[in-house]
Amino acid sequence: MAWDTERTKGLLLEAATSEFCARGLAGARIDRIAAEAGVNKERIYQYFGNKNALFDAVIVAALSTLMDEVPIEGNGPEAMADYAGRLFDHHQTDATAPRLLFWEGLERGTDVVGLPKRMANCASKVNSTIAALPGISREDAGDLLITIVSLCDAAPVLPALDGLMAGGGPDRAERRRAAVVRTVYLAAAALAAEAKAPAATA
Amino acid sequence: MAWDTERTKGLLLEAATSEFCARGLAGARIDRIAAEAGVNKERIYQYFGNKNALFDAVIVAALSTLMDEVPIEGNGPEAMADYAGRLFDHHQTDATAPRLLFWEGLERGTDVVGLPKRMANCASKVNSTIAALPGISREDAGDLLITIVSLCDAAPVLPALDGLMAGGGPDRAERRRAAVVRTVYLAAAALAAEAKAPAATA
DNA sequence: GCAGTTTCCAACTAAGTAGTTGTAATTGTT
DNA sequence: AACAATTACAACTACTTAGTTGGAAACTGC
């Protein structure tokens, strides 16, 4: 049998993503990751170093690529609302990224890994936002993105909130989606309007 | 020395709150909780049962009381914006509740504990929202509250997002607060307006 | 002050846990 | 084919963990 190092690495990273996503850094088990990947756990230490470094690799791989998977397209507040809707849908079908993001925030705090790549990705999103809402400040663009991420990513991580607050009817997900999209539209429209008439708040 | 059961329980609950808040259910250590409380860990099992049940007790104690600590006061969209601002400030000085909320969401999913009490608290908040925005539907009120909670609670749990998205200047917290308050105001105002002219979207 | 109960703790147990090691199989190179 | 390097794994180690136990100290009612 031929050794396929890249395939083994990929299997481990995939299994680790699933395990860390479900249980976080402290709750994840190296043995479980190795078993799920069908690989001996010693390979983890050869390829990734240790549990923390494997978590790093998972975070960087999962969060960096997400930025490209759901792009900001079009112009005006509608474009930002549409982006929020697509991000919401994406997280609804695959909660990996939001869960990893919150695991990282809770377990790592401000100790963020893979900074250069992620800062570049965020800057790219900020620039897309500025392009969609001409005249908006860089800080307002960042704030709008934080708002979008907060709304879209919190939903799958706090699944109980829907039932607790809104009763959890059959079409809850759609209603929540509509609320997020509308909220983002309103916030983006206000920033766009302010950018055209800056005297109002100065 | 006189035994003070309630005090011992309180010390354990306080230490457990701090430990679970910082490290979550999987990351928390029974030994650390007992040591921080200055109490033998065997007491935990006598008073609370086991680690999971202690986590339950912490969650219920911390999240249920929060609802009363930051009330919804006044009328109109301004009242909801003001509520969001006070909730944001509260979480900024003490991130216990948001962190526990997200730990619970990540580690427990929809398996929520203390349901009756928490549902009552949420229903009370929904009623306050309906009182502040007359004519609004119960579901829209719940959605607005989810929006507020998402925005206010995500901020302290994702401390790195500010730096990543908005550069993290000196007055970042204040700017983020202003963005949250304004977003909530816009969302609440839109719902209030719709409640007065329901034909627009029907 | 004395039996019965409760609070408390040091020490213990059984089951994981991350990380390592020794060794065999595979591969590329000469 | 002989060699060194790489990939792989079963077994192992040192340590941590949640949960338990046996008995001492303090309280209660009499």
Side-chain angles (χ1 to χ4, degrees):
Chain A
M1 188 197 297
W3 300 137
D4 191 341
T5 309
E6 288 311 310
R7 180 171 165 276
T8 304
K9 277 189 194 175
L11 287 172
L12 282 172
L13 201 65
E14 193 180 349
T17 302
S18 162
E19 175 76 2
F20 284 128
C21 171
R23 312 191 191 239
L25 176 56
R29 296 293 169 248
I30 292 286
D31 285 6
R32 247 188 324 241
I33 293 171
E36 195 188 318
V39 169
N40 190 277
K41 70 172 172 173
E42 177 265 359
R43 289 289 87 198
I44 291 173
Y45 296 93
Q46 282 298 320
Y47 292 145
F48 299 96
N50 57 25
K51 194 185 181 184
N52 263 278
L54 179 59
F55 187 71
D56 292 351
V58 165
I59 289 279
V60 170
L63 294 187
S64 290
T65 59
L66 170 73
M67 293 285 188
D68 304 321
E69 284 179 23
V70 186
I72 299 175
E73 288 168 337
N75 285 294
E78 301 85 2
M80 299 309 295
D82 178 67
Y83 169 63
R86 280 179 288 119
L87 195 63
F88 185 93
D89 293 339
H90 179 278
H91 291 350
Q92 211 70 17
T93 51
D94 178 12
T96 303
R99 289 182 63 90
L100 287 174
L101 185 70
F102 277 102
W103 282 123
E104 185 196 28
L106 285 169
E107 303 196 287
R108 289 271 182 82
T110 52
D111 187 8
V112 178
V113 83
L115 255 221
K117 196 174 181 182
R118 288 167 73 181
M119 274 186 67
N121 279 323
C122 288
S124 152
K125 277 278 178 290
V126 169
N127 287 334
S128 300
T129 303
I130 294 174
L133 305 174
I136 196 179
S137 78
R138 193 162 290 272
E139 277 211 309
D140 282 342
D143 259 319
L144 180 61
L145 285 170
I146 295 177
T147 295
I148 294 172
V149 169
S150 297
L151 292 176
C152 294
D153 286 40
V157 175
L158 301 176
L161 217 59
D162 262 348
L164 237 44
M165 286 287 189
D171 53 352
R172 266 313 301 161
E174 292 163 41
R175 289 185 65 92
R176 181 75 206 128
R177 192 202 123 104
V180 168
V181 168
R182 184 156 75 156
T183 301
V184 170
Y185 175 80
L186 292 168
L191 290 175
E194 188 183 313
K196 286 180 186 169
T201 53
Chain B
M1 190 196 298
W3 303 135
D4 191 340
T5 308
E6 288 311 311
R7 180 170 166 278
T8 303
K9 277 189 195 175
L11 287 172
L12 282 172
L13 201 65
E14 193 180 348
T17 302
S18 162
E19 175 77 1
F20 283 129
C21 170
R23 311 189 192 241
L25 176 55
R29 294 294 170 248
I30 292 285
D31 286 5
R32 251 192 317 246
I33 293 171
E36 195 187 318
V39 169
N40 190 278
K41 70 172 172 173
E42 175 264 0
R43 289 290 87 198
I44 290 173
Y45 296 94
Q46 283 298 320
Y47 292 146
F48 299 96
N50 57 26
K51 193 185 184 185
N52 263 277
L54 179 59
F55 187 70
D56 291 352
V58 165
I59 288 279
V60 170
L63 295 187
S64 291
T65 60
L66 171 73
M67 293 286 187
D68 304 322
E69 283 179 24
V70 186
I72 298 176
E73 287 167 338
N75 286 293
E78 302 84 2
M80 299 310 294
D82 178 68
Y83 169 63
R86 280 179 288 118
L87 195 64
F88 185 92
D89 293 340
H90 179 280
H91 292 349
Q92 211 72 15
T93 53
D94 178 12
T96 304
R99 289 183 62 90
L100 287 174
L101 185 70
F102 278 102
W103 282 123
E104 186 196 28
L106 285 169
E107 303 197 286
R108 288 272 182 81
T110 52
D111 186 8
V112 179
V113 84
L115 255 221
K117 197 174 183 182
R118 289 167 72 179
M119 274 187 67
N121 279 322
C122 288
S124 152
K125 277 280 176 288
V126 169
N127 287 333
S128 299
T129 302
I130 294 173
L133 305 174
I136 196 179
S137 79
R138 193 161 291 272
E139 278 210 309
D140 282 343
D143 259 319
L144 180 61
L145 284 169
I146 296 176
T147 295
I148 293 171
V149 169
S150 297
L151 292 176
C152 293
D153 287 40
V157 175
L158 301 176
L161 218 57
D162 263 348
L164 238 43
M165 287 287 188
D171 53 350
R172 266 313 301 160
E174 292 162 40
R175 288 185 68 93
R176 180 76 205 128
R177 193 202 123 105
V180 168
V181 168
R182 183 156 76 156
T183 302
V184 169
Y185 175 82
L186 292 168
L191 289 174
E194 188 183 313
K196 285 179 183 168
T201 54

mmCIF file of all heavy atoms in Angstrom, chain B residues 142-179:
data_model
loop_
_atom_site.group_PDB
_atom_site.id
_atom_site.type_symbol
_atom_site.label_atom_id
_atom_site.label_comp_id
_atom_site.label_asym_id
_atom_site.label_seq_id
_atom_site.Cartn_x
_atom_site.Cartn_y
_atom_site.Cartn_z
ATOM 1 N N GLY B 142 -40.371 38.773 20.267
ATOM 2 C CA GLY B 142 -39.353 37.772 20.571
ATOM 3 C C GLY B 142 -38.144 37.904 19.664
ATOM 4 O O GLY B 142 -37.001 37.842 20.120
ATOM 5 N N ASP B 143 -38.402 38.143 18.389
ATOM 6 C CA ASP B 143 -37.299 38.308 17.442
ATOM 7 C C ASP B 143 -36.450 39.531 17.767
ATOM 8 O O ASP B 143 -35.217 39.478 17.690
ATOM 9 C CB ASP B 143 -37.851 38.428 16.016
ATOM 10 C CG ASP B 143 -37.714 37.112 15.265
ATOM 11 O OD1 ASP B 143 -36.674 36.468 15.413
ATOM 12 O OD2 ASP B 143 -38.655 36.753 14.538
ATOM 13 N N LEU B 144 -37.112 40.609 18.141
ATOM 14 C CA LEU B 144 -36.353 41.807 18.500
ATOM 15 C C LEU B 144 -35.471 41.531 19.716
ATOM 16 O O LEU B 144 -34.304 41.958 19.767
ATOM 17 C CB LEU B 144 -37.318 42.972 18.794
ATOM 18 C CG LEU B 144 -36.649 44.300 19.175
ATOM 19 C CD1 LEU B 144 -35.752 44.797 18.053
ATOM 20 C CD2 LEU B 144 -37.701 45.349 19.525
ATOM 21 N N LEU B 145 -36.006 40.786 20.663
ATOM 22 C CA LEU B 145 -35.220 40.459 21.856
ATOM 23 C C LEU B 145 -34.047 39.546 21.504
ATOM 24 O O LEU B 145 -32.942 39.707 22.027
ATOM 25 C CB LEU B 145 -36.119 39.793 22.904
ATOM 26 C CG LEU B 145 -37.036 40.777 23.628
ATOM 27 C CD1 LEU B 145 -38.079 40.017 24.459
ATOM 28 C CD2 LEU B 145 -36.233 41.709 24.529
ATOM 29 N N ILE B 146 -34.277 38.596 20.602
ATOM 30 C CA ILE B 146 -33.174 37.733 20.168
ATOM 31 C C ILE B 146 -32.097 38.573 19.497
ATOM 32 O O ILE B 146 -30.898 38.373 19.719
ATOM 33 C CB ILE B 146 -33.682 36.636 19.207
ATOM 34 C CG1 ILE B 146 -34.647 35.702 19.935
ATOM 35 C CG2 ILE B 146 -32.515 35.834 18.639
ATOM 36 C CD1 ILE B 146 -35.271 34.641 19.042
ATOM 37 N N THR B 147 -32.522 39.533 18.689
ATOM 38 C CA THR B 147 -31.566 40.434 18.052
ATOM 39 C C THR B 147 -30.750 41.180 19.099
ATOM 40 O O THR B 147 -29.515 41.253 19.015
ATOM 41 C CB THR B 147 -32.311 41.444 17.156
ATOM 42 O OG1 THR B 147 -32.944 40.739 16.095
ATOM 43 C CG2 THR B 147 -31.362 42.479 16.596
ATOM 44 N N ILE B 148 -31.432 41.714 20.112
ATOM 45 C CA ILE B 148 -30.734 42.467 21.157
ATOM 46 C C ILE B 148 -29.755 41.578 21.903
ATOM 47 O O ILE B 148 -28.593 41.938 22.118
ATOM 48 C CB ILE B 148 -31.761 43.088 22.130
ATOM 49 C CG1 ILE B 148 -32.585 44.149 21.416
ATOM 50 C CG2 ILE B 148 -31.073 43.665 23.350
ATOM 51 C CD1 ILE B 148 -33.762 44.676 22.222
ATOM 52 N N VAL B 149 -30.216 40.393 22.286
ATOM 53 C CA VAL B 149 -29.347 39.467 23.019
ATOM 54 C C VAL B 149 -28.157 39.056 22.157
ATOM 55 O O VAL B 149 -27.020 39.009 22.621
ATOM 56 C CB VAL B 149 -30.141 38.230 23.484
ATOM 57 C CG1 VAL B 149 -29.209 37.146 24.003
ATOM 58 C CG2 VAL B 149 -31.148 38.617 24.552
ATOM 59 N N SER B 150 -28.416 38.770 20.884
ATOM 60 C CA SER B 150 -27.322 38.371 19.992
ATOM 61 C C SER B 150 -26.268 39.471 19.927
ATOM 62 O O SER B 150 -25.061 39.203 20.035
ATOM 63 C CB SER B 150 -27.848 38.087 18.587
ATOM 64 O OG SER B 150 -28.750 36.995 18.607
ATOM 65 N N LEU B 151 -26.699 40.699 19.744
ATOM 66 C CA LEU B 151 -25.753 41.804 19.590
ATOM 67 C C LEU B 151 -25.008 42.099 20.893
ATOM 68 O O LEU B 151 -23.798 42.307 20.888
ATOM 69 C CB LEU B 151 -26.487 43.062 19.113
ATOM 70 C CG LEU B 151 -27.037 42.993 17.687
ATOM 71 C CD1 LEU B 151 -27.817 44.260 17.356
ATOM 72 C CD2 LEU B 151 -25.906 42.790 16.689
ATOM 73 N N CYS B 152 -25.718 42.125 22.004
ATOM 74 C CA CYS B 152 -25.098 42.499 23.282
ATOM 75 C C CYS B 152 -24.246 41.383 23.864
ATOM 76 O O CYS B 152 -23.204 41.633 24.466
ATOM 77 C CB CYS B 152 -26.171 42.905 24.294
ATOM 78 S SG CYS B 152 -27.031 44.429 23.855
ATOM 79 N N ASP B 153 -24.693 40.134 23.705
ATOM 80 C CA ASP B 153 -23.976 39.022 24.326
ATOM 81 C C ASP B 153 -22.809 38.536 23.496
ATOM 82 O O ASP B 153 -21.838 38.000 24.039
ATOM 83 C CB ASP B 153 -24.948 37.852 24.587
ATOM 84 C CG ASP B 153 -25.888 38.151 25.745
ATOM 85 O OD1 ASP B 153 -26.337 39.304 25.833
ATOM 86 O OD2 ASP B 153 -26.156 37.243 26.555
ATOM 87 N N ALA B 154 -22.890 38.698 22.179
ATOM 88 C CA ALA B 154 -21.780 38.225 21.334
ATOM 89 C C ALA B 154 -20.543 39.079 21.549
ATOM 90 O O ALA B 154 -19.415 38.567 21.490
ATOM 91 C CB ALA B 154 -22.189 38.235 19.867
ATOM 92 N N ALA B 155 -20.736 40.364 21.825
ATOM 93 C CA ALA B 155 -19.600 41.290 21.931
ATOM 94 C C ALA B 155 -18.543 40.822 22.939
ATOM 95 O O ALA B 155 -17.367 40.690 22.580
ATOM 96 C CB ALA B 155 -20.099 42.692 22.252
ATOM 97 N N PRO B 156 -18.916 40.547 24.199
ATOM 98 C CA PRO B 156 -17.869 40.147 25.144
ATOM 99 C C PRO B 156 -17.336 38.735 24.914
ATOM 100 O O PRO B 156 -16.250 38.410 25.375
ATOM 101 C CB PRO B 156 -18.567 40.231 26.506
ATOM 102 C CG PRO B 156 -20.003 40.098 26.213
ATOM 103 C CD PRO B 156 -20.228 40.693 24.858
ATOM 104 N N VAL B 157 -18.098 37.904 24.180
ATOM 105 C CA VAL B 157 -17.661 36.526 23.941
ATOM 106 C C VAL B 157 -16.711 36.449 22.747
ATOM 107 O O VAL B 157 -15.892 35.541 22.650
ATOM 108 C CB VAL B 157 -18.884 35.606 23.735
ATOM 109 C CG1 VAL B 157 -18.455 34.201 23.371
ATOM 110 C CG2 VAL B 157 -19.740 35.584 25.000
ATOM 111 N N LEU B 158 -16.832 37.400 21.848
ATOM 112 C CA LEU B 158 -15.950 37.452 20.679
ATOM 113 C C LEU B 158 -15.109 38.718 20.732
ATOM 114 O O LEU B 158 -15.250 39.593 19.878
ATOM 115 C CB LEU B 158 -16.776 37.431 19.387
ATOM 116 C CG LEU B 158 -17.690 36.228 19.173
ATOM 117 C CD1 LEU B 158 -18.516 36.394 17.907
ATOM 118 C CD2 LEU B 158 -16.896 34.934 19.123
ATOM 119 N N PRO B 159 -14.230 38.813 21.720
ATOM 120 C CA PRO B 159 -13.481 40.059 21.913
ATOM 121 C C PRO B 159 -12.525 40.341 20.759
ATOM 122 O O PRO B 159 -12.161 41.494 20.538
ATOM 123 C CB PRO B 159 -12.720 39.803 23.212
ATOM 124 C CG PRO B 159 -12.564 38.332 23.277
ATOM 125 C CD PRO B 159 -13.805 37.763 22.648
ATOM 126 N N ALA B 160 -12.149 39.300 20.020
ATOM 127 C CA ALA B 160 -11.174 39.497 18.952
ATOM 128 C C ALA B 160 -11.806 40.110 17.707
ATOM 129 O O ALA B 160 -11.113 40.678 16.876
ATOM 130 C CB ALA B 160 -10.510 38.168 18.596
ATOM 131 N N LEU B 161 -13.134 39.992 17.594
ATOM 132 C CA LEU B 161 -13.802 40.451 16.384
ATOM 133 C C LEU B 161 -13.606 41.951 16.172
ATOM 134 O O LEU B 161 -13.416 42.404 15.040
ATOM 135 C CB LEU B 161 -15.300 40.124 16.474
ATOM 136 C CG LEU B 161 -15.975 39.679 15.179
ATOM 137 C CD1 LEU B 161 -15.281 38.462 14.618
ATOM 138 C CD2 LEU B 161 -17.446 39.414 15.405
ATOM 139 N N ASP B 162 -13.647 42.701 17.253
ATOM 140 C CA ASP B 162 -13.454 44.149 17.166
ATOM 141 C C ASP B 162 -12.124 44.474 16.511
ATOM 142 O O ASP B 162 -12.056 45.265 15.571
ATOM 143 C CB ASP B 162 -13.513 44.768 18.567
ATOM 144 C CG ASP B 162 -14.891 45.335 18.865
ATOM 145 O OD1 ASP B 162 -15.700 45.446 17.932
ATOM 146 O OD2 ASP B 162 -15.145 45.682 20.025
ATOM 147 N N GLY B 163 -11.062 43.861 17.033
ATOM 148 C CA GLY B 163 -9.743 44.125 16.493
ATOM 149 C C GLY B 163 -9.623 43.687 15.043
ATOM 150 O O GLY B 163 -9.043 44.375 14.213
ATOM 151 N N LEU B 164 -10.222 42.526 14.738
ATOM 152 C CA LEU B 164 -10.118 41.956 13.398
ATOM 153 C C LEU B 164 -10.872 42.799 12.370
ATOM 154 O O LEU B 164 -10.381 43.065 11.276
ATOM 155 C CB LEU B 164 -10.691 40.536 13.416
ATOM 156 C CG LEU B 164 -9.796 39.381 12.992
ATOM 157 C CD1 LEU B 164 -8.409 39.512 13.565
ATOM 158 C CD2 LEU B 164 -10.420 38.064 13.394
ATOM 159 N N MET B 165 -12.069 43.232 12.738
ATOM 160 C CA MET B 165 -12.941 43.914 11.773
ATOM 161 C C MET B 165 -12.727 45.429 11.756
ATOM 162 O O MET B 165 -12.747 46.044 10.702
ATOM 163 C CB MET B 165 -14.406 43.628 12.114
ATOM 164 C CG MET B 165 -14.851 42.228 11.779
ATOM 165 S SD MET B 165 -15.042 41.949 10.003
ATOM 166 C CE MET B 165 -15.793 40.324 10.015
ATOM 167 N N ALA B 166 -12.570 45.994 12.948
ATOM 168 C CA ALA B 166 -12.601 47.459 13.025
ATOM 169 C C ALA B 166 -11.294 48.067 13.514
ATOM 170 O O ALA B 166 -11.240 49.243 13.843
ATOM 171 C CB ALA B 166 -13.759 47.894 13.924
ATOM 172 N N GLY B 167 -10.234 47.258 13.582
ATOM 173 C CA GLY B 167 -8.936 47.813 13.933
ATOM 174 C C GLY B 167 -8.689 48.003 15.407
ATOM 175 O O GLY B 167 -7.551 48.110 15.846
ATOM 176 N N GLY B 168 -9.757 48.043 16.206
ATOM 177 C CA GLY B 168 -9.598 48.109 17.654
ATOM 178 C C GLY B 168 -8.952 49.368 18.177
ATOM 179 O O GLY B 168 -7.981 49.319 18.922
ATOM 180 N N GLY B 169 -9.480 50.518 17.793
ATOM 181 C CA GLY B 169 -8.958 51.786 18.302
ATOM 182 C C GLY B 169 -9.239 51.955 19.789
ATOM 183 O O GLY B 169 -9.767 51.049 20.432
ATOM 184 N N PRO B 170 -8.877 53.097 20.347
ATOM 185 C CA PRO B 170 -9.008 53.322 21.792
ATOM 186 C C PRO B 170 -10.458 53.351 22.266
ATOM 187 O O PRO B 170 -10.761 52.895 23.357
ATOM 188 C CB PRO B 170 -8.322 54.670 21.984
ATOM 189 C CG PRO B 170 -8.400 55.336 20.644
ATOM 190 C CD PRO B 170 -8.323 54.243 19.640
ATOM 191 N N ASP B 171 -11.350 53.882 21.431
ATOM 192 C CA ASP B 171 -12.755 54.018 21.858
ATOM 193 C C ASP B 171 -13.634 52.979 21.166
ATOM 194 O O ASP B 171 -14.801 53.229 20.876
ATOM 195 C CB ASP B 171 -13.260 55.429 21.559
ATOM 196 C CG ASP B 171 -13.026 55.802 20.096
ATOM 197 O OD1 ASP B 171 -12.322 55.034 19.414
ATOM 198 O OD2 ASP B 171 -13.528 56.841 19.662
ATOM 199 N N ARG B 172 -13.077 51.804 20.919
ATOM 200 C CA ARG B 172 -13.820 50.764 20.230
ATOM 201 C C ARG B 172 -15.107 50.381 20.950
ATOM 202 O O ARG B 172 -16.171 50.277 20.345
ATOM 203 C CB ARG B 172 -12.955 49.502 20.065
ATOM 204 C CG ARG B 172 -12.217 49.414 18.762
ATOM 205 C CD ARG B 172 -13.068 49.717 17.565
ATOM 206 N NE ARG B 172 -14.217 48.820 17.454
ATOM 207 C CZ ARG B 172 -15.300 49.089 16.756
ATOM 208 N NH1 ARG B 172 -15.411 50.228 16.116
ATOM 209 N NH2 ARG B 172 -16.280 48.232 16.699
ATOM 210 N N ALA B 173 -15.016 50.157 22.264
ATOM 211 C CA ALA B 173 -16.182 49.695 23.018
ATOM 212 C C ALA B 173 -17.337 50.680 22.877
ATOM 213 O O ALA B 173 -18.484 50.291 22.663
ATOM 214 C CB ALA B 173 -15.823 49.481 24.482
ATOM 215 N N GLU B 174 -17.019 51.976 22.978
ATOM 216 C CA GLU B 174 -18.075 52.991 22.875
ATOM 217 C C GLU B 174 -18.691 53.014 21.483
ATOM 218 O O GLU B 174 -19.909 53.139 21.323
ATOM 219 C CB GLU B 174 -17.517 54.371 23.215
ATOM 220 C CG GLU B 174 -17.121 54.511 24.684
ATOM 221 C CD GLU B 174 -16.186 55.692 24.893
ATOM 222 O OE1 GLU B 174 -16.410 56.740 24.260
ATOM 223 O OE2 GLU B 174 -15.214 55.550 25.671
ATOM 224 N N ARG B 175 -17.834 52.914 20.480
ATOM 225 C CA ARG B 175 -18.346 52.896 19.100
ATOM 226 C C ARG B 175 -19.209 51.672 18.861
ATOM 227 O O ARG B 175 -20.263 51.756 18.223
ATOM 228 C CB ARG B 175 -17.185 52.931 18.104
ATOM 229 C CG ARG B 175 -16.488 54.282 18.028
ATOM 230 C CD ARG B 175 -15.420 54.265 16.935
ATOM 231 N NE ARG B 175 -16.034 54.159 15.611
ATOM 232 C CZ ARG B 175 -16.341 55.208 14.848
ATOM 233 N NH1 ARG B 175 -16.083 56.427 15.270
ATOM 234 N NH2 ARG B 175 -16.904 55.036 13.672
ATOM 235 N N ARG B 176 -18.760 50.527 19.357
ATOM 236 C CA ARG B 176 -19.549 49.303 19.181
ATOM 237 C C ARG B 176 -20.894 49.455 19.889
ATOM 238 O O ARG B 176 -21.936 49.070 19.384
ATOM 239 C CB ARG B 176 -18.786 48.103 19.756
ATOM 240 C CG ARG B 176 -19.512 46.782 19.627
ATOM 241 C CD ARG B 176 -19.456 46.249 18.205
ATOM 242 N NE ARG B 176 -20.583 45.352 17.924
ATOM 243 C CZ ARG B 176 -21.387 45.470 16.889
ATOM 244 N NH1 ARG B 176 -21.207 46.438 16.006
ATOM 245 N NH2 ARG B 176 -22.373 44.640 16.710
ATOM 246 N N ARG B 177 -20.857 50.029 21.089
ATOM 247 C CA ARG B 177 -22.087 50.245 21.844
ATOM 248 C C ARG B 177 -23.052 51.122 21.057
ATOM 249 O O ARG B 177 -24.241 50.827 20.943
ATOM 250 C CB ARG B 177 -21.768 50.933 23.182
ATOM 251 C CG ARG B 177 -22.945 50.924 24.162
ATOM 252 C CD ARG B 177 -22.800 52.030 25.206
ATOM 253 N NE ARG B 177 -23.978 52.891 25.164
ATOM 254 C CZ ARG B 177 -24.940 52.863 26.068
ATOM 255 N NH1 ARG B 177 -24.851 52.080 27.105
ATOM 256 N NH2 ARG B 177 -25.994 53.637 25.942
ATOM 257 N N ALA B 178 -22.526 52.197 20.494
ATOM 258 C CA ALA B 178 -23.372 53.105 19.717
ATOM 259 C C ALA B 178 -23.982 52.382 18.520
ATOM 260 O O ALA B 178 -25.169 52.562 18.200
ATOM 261 C CB ALA B 178 -22.554 54.313 19.254
ATOM 262 N N ALA B 179 -23.186 51.531 17.885
ATOM 263 C CA ALA B 179 -23.692 50.796 16.720
ATOM 264 C C ALA B 179 -24.821 49.860 17.126
ATOM 265 O O ALA B 179 -25.845 49.761 16.442
ATOM 266 C CB ALA B 179 -22.549 50.018 16.065
#
